[in-house]
DNA sequence: TATCGGATAGAGCGCTCGTTCTAGATCTGT
DNA sequence: ACAGATCTAGAACGAGCGCTCTATCCGATA
């Protein structure tokens, strides 16, 4: 097919817009990010943005959130696979997050939190996408915990807290411009996992 | 003093503006909240807002963050004082937070997170105020843990994770419109505190 | 070669933003 | 009673918002 080039170019522009939006939402939130800014920084024009996302800013935000969802999931997968022991693996994830956060100049934290909080009363679509992201991430952790022998329900519950703690620690790390909250989270979550493996829930 | 009435009225307007701003920041974030909306909902006028906060939106946001800081600290103090055992006390705090969140229709979560994330690169003053709030809250938790016999450094570190977990769980609870993340956080944080009291750090 | 739909381009719409500015209202100290 | 802060009131400004609209470009098919 000769259409490949055209489609590749099309995907190229669309993908550039989504990635740029994801990064800007992560850094400035939903209301703080303008569509014109997105077009400018993505090297696209307003026409292209509305061509690919006729639903406007909300549709674009949903796509960006889903992109961030997958990106963060990939980081989690890598971190969790790096160690057999789930406690060590989770602590490893906090180190990955801390390093990435510092390298971005403390600007690029959780890809969905800021947008989620701002748009809670505004857009049900965005809220759904954010909720789905949390679900995907905690499912990855839960699977790791199950593999290590935790009971189904314990694994599910603990995984939710793991994701929540990572999220909160990442936010605090950004505000304080320090890796400490994330590294402490890693240490404490490891203890919590150990407590589950040894004894009562 | 006859000035009392005037000052009271002045404080009245100022206080109304601050409280309204705090509530709106909590619900809509920084960029999503307009000064005209604040004035309208506070029953004040633009002139009054700029009279009391000549520094404009940023100065107003700092005052609102500090108000939210104290409000949340008061809730923490109450929750922590309600039980002797720090693990039970922290779990009690999660129940207080869950109830308050649900009563607000899942709209009023952590009073600083949304604003903090949005203004990270924008205003150093706001960032400082948010960082100070986290510090105050974790210090309250640390004090409770110290009273229960934890070593100074353990108490400080664990308190930071407690606040981070509460924060993350509150965010997730808002997005999912469910108390579960907060209640799970309470259960797991209680386990974590017990682990510290019984054995190694 | 003629045609046609996907993609690009950006001027312009109505609106709201944060802020400034001038006037008037209200109360205090003398 | 008068002067002078303090506080209230809201019109007006330039800038930027999300979005619509028309015009053009370009590669693929017939």
């Amino acid at each position: 097919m000769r259409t490949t080039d055209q489609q590749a170019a099309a995907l190229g522009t669309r993908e550039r817009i989504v990635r740029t939006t994801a990064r800007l939402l992560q850094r400035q939130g939903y209301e703080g990010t303008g569509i014109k800014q997105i077009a400018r920084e993505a090297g696209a024009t307003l026409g292209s943005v509305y061509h690919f996302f006729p639903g406007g800013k909300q549709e674009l935000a949903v796509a960006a959130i889903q992109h961030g969802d997958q990106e963060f999931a990939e980081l989690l997968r890598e971190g969790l696979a790096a160690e057999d022991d789930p406690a060590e693996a989770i602590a490893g994830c906090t180190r990955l997050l801390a390093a990435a956060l510092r390298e971005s100049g403390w600007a690029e934290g959780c890809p969905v939190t800021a947008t989620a909080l701002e748009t809670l009363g505004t857009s049900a679509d965005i809220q759904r996408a954010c909720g789905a992201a949390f679900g995907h991430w905690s499912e990855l952790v839960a699977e790791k915990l199950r593999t290590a022998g935790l009971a189904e329900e314990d694994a599910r519950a603990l995984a939710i807290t793991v994701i929540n703690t990572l999220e909160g620690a990442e936010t605090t790390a950004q505000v304080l411009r320090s890796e400490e909250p994330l590294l402490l989270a890693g240490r404490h979550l490891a203890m919590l996992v150990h407590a589950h493996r040894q004894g009562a829930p």
Side-chain angles (χ1 to χ4, degrees), chain A residues 90-107:
Chain A
I90 289 168
C93 287
T94 65
R95 285 188 292 269
L96 284 181
L97 286 174
L101 187 55
R102 175 157 58 180
E103 275 162 25
S104 76
W106 312 102

Side-chain angles (χ1 to χ4, degrees), chain A residues 184-200:
Chain A
L184 288 178
R187 192 211 298 174
H188 291 135
L189 288 176
M191 288 182 65
L192 196 52
V193 172
H194 275 132
H196 273 79
R197 300 188 74 185
Q198 290 165 358

Side-chain angles (χ1 to χ4, degrees), chain A residues 10 16 27 29 55 81 145 201:
Chain A
R16 240 164 42 233
R27 289 172 167 260
L145 293 173

Side-chain angles (χ1 to χ4, degrees), chain A residues 105-106 172-179:
Chain A
W106 312 102
T172 304
Q174 282 189 267
V175 173
L176 301 183
R177 304 174 73 89
S178 159
E179 300 187 20

Side-chain angles (χ1 to χ4, degrees), chain A residues 75-76 78-83 85-100 166 182-183 185-187 189-190:
Chain A
L75 182 144
L76 271 183
E78 285 177 22
L80 292 174
E83 304 257 8
D85 177 20
E88 285 309 310
I90 289 168
C93 287
T94 65
R95 285 188 292 269
L96 284 181
L97 286 174
L166 291 184
L182 276 167
L183 301 182
R187 192 211 298 174
L189 288 176

Side-chain angles (χ1 to χ4, degrees), chain A residues 8-9 30 36 50 58-60 76 95 107 117 119 125 135 141 157 176:
Chain A
Y30 184 78
K36 287 172 186 173
Y50 279 95
Q58 291 197 7
E59 183 181 346
L60 186 46
L76 271 183
R95 285 188 292 269
L117 287 176
T119 60
D125 289 343
V141 174
L176 301 183

Side-chain angles (χ1 to χ4, degrees), chain A residues 111-183:
Chain A
V112 323
T113 310
T115 302
L117 287 176
E118 273 179 289
T119 60
L120 270 180
T122 305
S123 162
D125 289 343
I126 297 178
Q127 188 170 352
R128 253 192 303 275
C130 295
F134 290 140
H136 298 152
W137 302 339
S138 65
E139 182 47 39
L140 289 176
V141 174
E143 202 176 313
K144 180 77 179 181
L145 293 173
R146 273 189 233 108
T147 305
L150 260 73
E152 168 62 30
E153 185 49 28
D154 287 351
R156 194 192 75 91
L158 187 52
I160 290 174
T161 292
V162 168
I163 295 298
N164 288 337
T165 300
L166 291 184
E167 209 184 306
E170 180 130 26
T171 301
T172 304
Q174 282 189 267
V175 173
L176 301 183
R177 304 174 73 89
S178 159
E179 300 187 20
E180 195 194 23
L182 276 167
L183 301 182

